[in-house]
Amino acid sequence: MSHKILLVEDDATTADYIARGLTEEGFTVDRASDGRDGLFLATGRTHDAIILDRMLPGMDGMAVLAALRAAAIETPVIILSALAAAEDRVAGLTTGSDDYLAKPFSFAELLARLRLIIRRRTAGPVPETRLTCGDLKIDLLSRRVTRGGRTIELQPREFRLLDFLMRHQGEVVTRTMLLEGVWDYHFDPGTNVIDVHISKLRRKIDEEGEAPLIHTVRGAGYRLGDQG
C-alpha cells in the first residue's frame, strides 16, 4: 500500500529533491510551499506523515504544528530546519513533532526516519501492563497486586481471575465468560469452581474495613467496581 506524505517546504529545489526521492520509493506526495496552504492540506486530507519545514512564509512550521495538535490531528510530523541547536530540537519535539531533522540532511536518513514514524503509527497501541480499579492495582509484568499500598499474594488462577475482572470492571461478568476466559472451558463442568475462587479472591481483595470491590449480581454473575 502506498503511503501518502504531505511535504510542506518553500525551497523549490529542496522540495523537488525530497518529492522525487519519495515518489521513487513508492510514496504519494502532496506538496505545499507555505504554512497556510500546508495547514489547509493537513486538516483537509488524510496523510500517513507530514514533512514540515520550520521556516515558512505565511505561517511558520511551529505555528502549523501547534495548530494541528490543538485540533487533535495526530498525523506524525518530521520537522526540517536549519536551526540545529539543542533548544531548537527540544522546542520542536515539545510542540508535538515526532522527529526533528536538521538541514543539511541526507535523503537516506530522512527516508529511514519517515518509515520509522509511520511504522510506529501503524503498529497499534502498546499493550497495557498496569490495571487499576480504585486503590486496587495489578502489574501484569511483575504480577504484583496491591490495594491501598498492601501487597496481595495470589495463586496463578486467582491472578488470572482478577486480571479478567479488571479488564471488564464495571461490567457484569457471567459464569460462561469466566469459564471461557479464565479456565478455557467451553462447557459448564457442573461444579462450583467459580464460586470457590471468587470467594478466595474476595477475602484477599476486600479485607475488613475496605469498601468491597467484588460484587455478586444475583442470577447474572459478578462485577468488579466501587459500588455494589
Side-chain angles (χ1 to χ4, degrees), residues 5 19 67 112 140 163 188 195 200 203 211:
I5 308 302
L140 301 176
D163 180 8
D188 191 336
D195 304 309
K200 290 181 178 178
R203 285 198 298 270

Side-chain angles (χ1 to χ4, degrees), residues 3 5-9 11-32 51 80 105 107 110-111 114:
H3 291 293
I5 308 302
L6 173 59
L7 172 61
V8 188
E9 169 63 66
D11 182 79
T13 301
T14 302
D16 287 343
Y17 169 69
I18 295 173
R20 182 173 61 252
L22 291 177
T23 300
E24 290 173 353
E25 292 292 331
F27 292 90
T28 300
V29 183
D30 288 335
R31 292 174 57 171
I51 300 172
L80 298 181
F105 59 89
F107 178 75
L110 173 62
L111 181 63
L114 182 63

Side-chain angles (χ1 to χ4, degrees), residues 165 171-176 178 194-195 198 202 214-223:
L165 291 171
E171 305 174 17
V172 176
V173 177
T174 66
R175 288 180 57 86
T176 299
L178 290 173
I194 293 177
D195 304 309
I198 286 286
R202 181 181 276 135
I214 301 177
H215 309 280
T216 301
V217 182
R218 291 189 180 280
Y222 302 93
R223 184 175 60 80

Side-chain angles (χ1 to χ4, degrees), residues 47-105:
H47 297 93
D48 295 292
I50 299 170
I51 300 172
L52 179 65
D53 186 30
R54 179 165 177 169
M55 302 175 69
L56 293 166
M59 186 178 189
D60 71 67
M62 295 289 279
V64 172
L65 178 59
L68 289 175
R69 297 310 186 226
I73 296 173
E74 299 299 330
T75 307
V77 173
I78 296 178
I79 289 181
L80 298 181
S81 179
L83 303 175
E87 57 266 28
D88 296 312
R89 295 173 181 270
V90 170
L93 295 171
T94 302
T95 303
S97 71
D98 296 83
D99 205 344
Y100 191 108
L101 186 58
K103 297 179 179 179
F105 59 89

